[in-house]
Amino acid sequence: MMYGGGSGTQSKRDMAIEYQSQIPILRPSIHSRRANMTVKFQDLYNFTVEGNVDDVNVLNEVREKVREQGKIWWALESSKGPNWYLDTHVSSTLLLKSSLNFSSLVNAITLKKLIRKGIPPNLRPTVWFSLSGAAKKKSTVPETYYSDLTCAVEGKVTPATKQIDHDLPRTFPGHPWLDTPEGHAALRRVLVVYSFRDSAVGYCQGLNYVAALLLLVMKTEEDAFWMLAVLLEDVLVSDCYTTNLSGCHVEQRVFKDLLTKKCPRIGAHLEALDFDVSLVCTEWFLCLFSKSLPSETTMRVWDVLFYEGAKVLLNVALAIFKMNEEELLRTHHVGDVINVIHRTNHHLFDPDELLKVAFEKIGFMTSMTISKQRKKQEPAVMAELDQRIRRLSFLNGTDK
């Protein structure tokens, strides 16, 4: 969508040069710099962002790191071929023999470390599609699966399609492509087709934001659909988007326990304030930070999510609280906590800072450990949801 493939005759060097030109340096006016005024600018995905000059400087530094990271990926592609990242290990010998000077990349040996440093934006569609399992999932059905299903469901009306139509104009309003008839139509097709593919999920609010960003990243609408499919069916916690959102409730309970263990001072303070983490975490876990963080930071989180799995969301959520520890400890009201978190997220233009805290300061968490925590919380969540259903049934019966 945003990054089309080059012609077959285009050399890797030319493609690399073209890629570098796609990451512009932001230059606020002299007046803005002197006054430290709020400035508006467009990010790589054409979202209009408001920030101060310090934010712009941070974003420029991040973009320079992206350029340097791009050189590594291009060098690896030249040496190993276009699908080198399908290998689970990148040798240090390869990095040292490269024609580029990789002095700052001594530790970037494994693919995991390279991905945590960021996938170049123009390679993101291909890398995501391969590493997430979307390509494999697509290969199990006929080539015309998406187009056939699109035609089969055209004109059908369900509760899901009605909710989708309601949410389309509210999905990133003002975006130069998403908020157009063409953008709405593409987003609608992806969401409606998936709602028929998985009737247990159908459609859940939050998926509109996720699918919208997938459309901006992936090269085709069909690829965005398959990325959504692998995300919901393989990457994320099961039942996260079903009617009762049981998976999301489980994740919130797991997060609350982890916050107490990993950030005990924050956990104790929030407990004293009677702060419910679901006030911020529900949106994070349903929208995968797409509504909360700047889009370029969100993409970096998703780089890791599609490779390492759903536990990444917990790491990032913990990091957001950890980065604000001292300010959070000075809060006296629930509203203050929410304001601190929202303000920080709005200006979180440095994904390296966020991910460093998420994976280095929070501490190691295995997928197996998280899975055990989820299983531990499931009975309490299901009991609570069952009690809620009984209460609603009783009230409805009383109303009658």
Side-chain angles (χ1 to χ4, degrees), residues 255-274:
F255 174 74
K256 184 178 180 180
D257 280 357
L258 288 173
L259 186 65
T260 301
K261 294 174 183 176
K262 298 289 184 178
C263 308
R265 294 171 68 207
I266 298 176
H269 182 70
L270 297 183
E271 187 75 25
L273 293 180
D274 198 24

Side-chain angles (χ1 to χ4, degrees), residues 257 261 370-381:
D257 280 357
K261 294 174 183 176
I370 299 301
S371 294
K372 288 180 179 178
Q373 288 292 319
R374 288 171 181 148
K375 288 182 179 179
K376 177 183 175 182
Q377 297 294 345
E378 281 175 4
V381 167

Side-chain angles (χ1 to χ4, degrees), residues 33 63 87 89 92 95-96 143 191 200 208 294 347 399:
R33 292 199 296 272
R63 290 183 177 187
D87 295 330
H89 185 78
S92 56
L95 291 176
L96 293 173
E143 289 187 10
L191 292 172
N208 49 323
H347 294 278
D399 289 340

Side-chain angles (χ1 to χ4, degrees), residues 7 116 173 188 212 248 255 270 274 307 335 339 357 385-386 390:
S7 64
R116 286 184 179 183
R188 186 184 193 278
C248 186
F255 174 74
L270 297 183
D274 198 24
Y307 187 61
N339 289 336
V357 175
L385 292 174
D386 183 61
R390 291 174 182 272

Side-chain angles (χ1 to χ4, degrees), residues 90-244:
V90 179
S91 69
S92 56
T93 304
L94 174 61
L95 291 176
L96 293 173
K97 285 184 177 180
S98 174
S99 59
L100 295 174
N101 180 16
F102 296 131
S103 59
S104 63
L105 302 169
V106 176
N107 294 325
I109 295 173
T110 64
L111 181 59
K112 178 186 285 188
K113 288 180 180 177
L114 286 172
I115 288 175
R116 286 184 179 183
K117 287 179 178 291
I119 300 170
N122 67 323
L123 294 179
R124 198 165 266 147
T126 308
V127 177
W128 278 9
F129 204 67
S130 298
L131 294 181
S132 66
K136 183 178 180 181
K137 187 174 288 286
K138 181 182 177 182
S139 70
T140 63
V141 297
E143 289 187 10
T144 58
Y145 177 91
Y146 180 72
S147 58
D148 290 346
L149 192 51
T150 301
C151 292
V153 304
E154 187 174 359
K156 292 189 176 182
V157 178
T158 66
T161 64
K162 290 179 180 178
Q163 187 62 55
I164 290 168
D165 288 334
H166 181 68
D167 288 346
L168 288 176
R170 304 191 298 178
T171 307
F172 299 123
H175 188 275
W177 182 75
L178 288 171
D179 195 14
T180 65
E182 180 187 359
H184 286 173
L187 179 57
R188 186 184 193 278
R189 283 191 294 271
V190 170
L191 292 172
V192 168
V193 170
Y194 190 80
S195 74
F196 279 90
R197 172 182 168 87
D198 187 348
S199 58
V201 171
Y203 170 73
C204 175
Q205 288 180 307
L207 290 179
N208 49 323
Y209 295 99
V210 174
L213 286 194
L214 289 174
L215 279 169
L216 292 182
V217 174
M218 304 308 293
K219 290 182 177 180
T220 68
E221 180 183 311
E222 184 176 1
D223 284 354
F225 166 81
W226 285 112
M227 287 301 299
L228 183 65
V230 80
L231 190 61
L232 300 184
E233 296 164 17
D234 301 323
V235 177
L236 297 178
V237 178
S238 60
D239 297 329
C240 203
Y241 294 95
T242 50
T243 304
N244 62 8

Side-chain angles (χ1 to χ4, degrees), residues 62 296-297 300-301 348-356:
V62 169
E296 295 179 44
T297 303
R300 286 287 300 279
V301 172
L348 229 170
F349 293 105
D350 188 351
D352 289 315
E353 179 187 7
L354 173 64
L355 294 178
K356 183 176 182 178

